[in-house]
Amino acid sequence: MLGEVIRNRPEIALDDFLPIFLSSSLILVFGALFVGIYTLVKMGYLKKIYMPLAYLFWGFQAYCMYFMATRLHVGDFVGKILFITMIAYLTLPHLYYYLNNKAEEEYEN
């Protein structure tokens, strides 16, 4: 009745499972730390001296993404998508706060 679906999935080596799992988890942790510190600095709850720490967490996140991509043997297309994602993750908070400040200036004047 229903045809069998055959999918080709690349095998993940059993030894690579734990590093892939940990790096995937650290991507989330470092991303949350980047956005959290960046937001607290922009809101004035933390001093501006902590901003490099936020970028350091973004760097750790990018490295974990690279590590995970190399272990998973992603293709060129997926690698480019992941690279664009990391650049967007770095720049979108800046765009958000820039637009938010411009909107506040617009309403105050």
Side-chain angles (χ1 to χ4, degrees), residues 34 38 54-55 58 61 85-95:
F34 165 65
Y38 183 87
Y55 292 119
W58 179 83
Q61 182 189 24
T85 302
M86 290 309 300
I87 296 299
Y89 200 82
L90 178 65
T91 56
L92 285 179
H94 293 83
L95 178 65

Side-chain angles (χ1 to χ4, degrees), residues 89-107:
Y89 200 82
L90 178 65
T91 56
L92 285 179
H94 293 83
L95 178 65
Y96 172 78
Y97 284 104
Y98 173 77
L99 292 176
N100 197 12
N101 285 339
K102 285 293 182 187
E104 284 183 14
E105 290 175 9
E106 190 73 26
Y107 284 119

Side-chain angles (χ1 to χ4, degrees), residues 65-66 69 74-88:
M65 180 75 80
Y66 171 76
V74 298
D76 289 341
F77 180 72
V78 175
K80 289 175 185 173
I81 295 286
L82 293 175
F83 178 75
I84 291 169
T85 302
M86 290 309 300
I87 296 299

Side-chain angles (χ1 to χ4, degrees), residues 12-27 63-72:
I12 298 173
L14 193 57
D15 293 340
D16 287 343
F17 177 77
L18 185 61
I20 290 170
F21 176 77
L22 289 176
S23 64
S24 301
S25 300
L26 288 175
I27 289 169
Y63 177 74
C64 286
M65 180 75 80
Y66 171 76
F67 181 80
M68 183 192 70
T70 54
R71 291 292 174 128
L72 287 176

